[in-house]
Amino acid sequence: MKSLLQRQNKVLASSRSNIKEDKAEVIENMEAEKCNLGNYVVQLENRIKNLAVEFNKAKEKCGKYKTIVNELNEDNRRLVEEIKILKVKYVKECSVVTNMNDLSLIHISEPTRPLYISYAVFCLKKKKKKK
């Protein structure tokens, strides 16, 4: 009986020793994993900081592009207005040209000088419309 108790005590002591070793190994593994997790967290934090920097750069570029687009839209608006004004002027000038048929020549002055380049004055009178 004593030998059985002694064997059981040896098995228990051995088990306790194995448990202590296993516990120490588990704690060591946990510390290593904790260190790995800490490194991973630091890497993630660095990636987040880099992404924030890239985001701010992209946001700044976007702001510049918005400004450029707004300026282009303003230029386009001004050009459209100028085109409208030019159309009105063109229509007025065309109406003068088309209405030239309503004019008759009443006088041509003599040349201003006997030289190669001289000027003459043309006087036009509006024709009376026949009813």
Side-chain angles (χ1 to χ4, degrees):
M1 211 43 158
K2 267 190 175 183
S3 69
L4 182 63
L5 278 175
Q6 286 174 347
R7 269 192 276 159
Q8 284 179 349
N9 282 338
K10 278 185 183 181
V11 169
L12 275 173
S14 174
S15 294
R16 282 184 187 148
S17 174
N18 288 342
I19 289 172
K20 284 180 184 178
E21 288 172 11
D22 289 345
K23 182 180 176 184
E25 188 178 334
V26 166
I27 289 172
E28 189 178 308
N29 288 340
M30 284 176 65
E31 290 296 322
E33 287 299 317
K34 195 168 150 184
C35 184
N36 289 340
L37 281 173
N39 289 337
Y40 185 67
V41 167
V42 168
Q43 289 174 355
L44 286 176
E45 287 172 344
N46 288 335
R47 283 174 63 188
I48 289 169
K49 286 177 187 175
N50 290 338
L51 287 172
V53 168
E54 288 179 33
F55 175 78
N56 287 333
K57 286 179 183 177
K59 189 175 168 184
E60 187 177 316
K61 279 184 182 179
C62 185
K64 287 179 183 176
Y65 291 142
K66 278 185 180 177
T67 302
I68 290 169
V69 167
N70 288 340
E71 288 172 1
L72 289 173
N73 284 337
E74 183 61 25
D75 288 347
N76 187 40
R77 188 193 61 72
R78 273 189 248 124
L79 286 172
V80 167
E81 289 300 318
E82 286 179 29
I83 289 170
K84 285 179 183 176
I85 291 168
L86 289 173
K87 278 183 180 178
V88 168
K89 285 182 181 178
Y90 177 75
V91 167
K92 285 180 182 177
E93 288 175 10
C94 286
S95 68
V96 167
V97 170
T98 55
N99 291 337
M100 297 261 317
N101 294 330
D102 294 339
L103 300 175
S104 63
L105 182 62
I106 59 168
H107 177 71
I108 299 177
S109 70
E110 293 294 319
T112 55
R113 308 176 235 186
L115 301 173
Y116 178 71
I117 300 174
S118 63
Y119 302 94
V121 176
F122 297 90
C123 294
L124 301 172
K125 181 181 179 185
K126 194 171 185 179
K127 290 181 184 177
K128 292 183 179 179
K129 292 188 179 183
K130 298 178 183 177
K131 293 186 182 181

